Amino acid sequence: MYGGQIVEGGDSETVTQRPAHPYTQLLIESAPDPERSVIALDAPPEEVAAVSAGCQFAPRCPKVQSRCWTDAPPRTEVDSYGHWAACWLYVEAAA
């Protein structure tokens, strides 16, 4: 969940081993590892509030597209095991 929106779902092993949404990917990458630098994921509340119609993660997303700011992405199946992500990247891949 990011900014009050559920961004990815599925069984815990699938979501943690094969994260689909950019936010989930960054969360997994931010797990403590002395070999890597730390990635900050907390957005200031005013930054999250600024995106009312689109994806709440748009201000921080490394894969942001123009429609992410204006249109909330639908939940899209990532695989056939109930794994889904609310991200425009997967809407295009499913088409």
Side-chain angles (χ1 to χ4, degrees), residues 24 66 73 79 82-83:
T24 312
S66 59
D79 59 34
H83 185 199

Side-chain angles (χ1 to χ4, degrees), residues 2-85:
Y2 185 85
Q5 293 180 345
I6 299 173
V7 296
E8 186 165 356
D11 67 81
S12 60
E13 186 171 338
T14 301
V15 172
T16 57
Q17 297 304 310
R18 294 191 314 264
H21 193 277
Y23 178 63
T24 312
Q25 292 168 358
L26 288 173
L27 279 177
I28 301 299
E29 290 173 13
S30 72
D33 181 347
E35 303 290 322
R36 286 193 313 232
S37 61
V38 176
I39 300 171
L41 296 175
D42 294 331
E46 63 276 2
E47 193 173 273
V48 173
V51 183
S52 59
C55 177
Q56 295 298 316
F57 191 56
R60 307 195 61 96
C61 185
K63 300 175 183 179
V64 70
Q65 301 173 6
S66 59
R67 68 176 157 189
C68 297
W69 297 97
T70 57
D71 301 318
R75 292 182 180 188
T76 306
E77 289 284 323
V78 176
D79 59 34
S80 59
Y81 303 105
H83 185 199
W84 59 267

Side-chain angles (χ1 to χ4, degrees), residues 90-95:
Y90 296 97
V91 172
E92 292 174 358

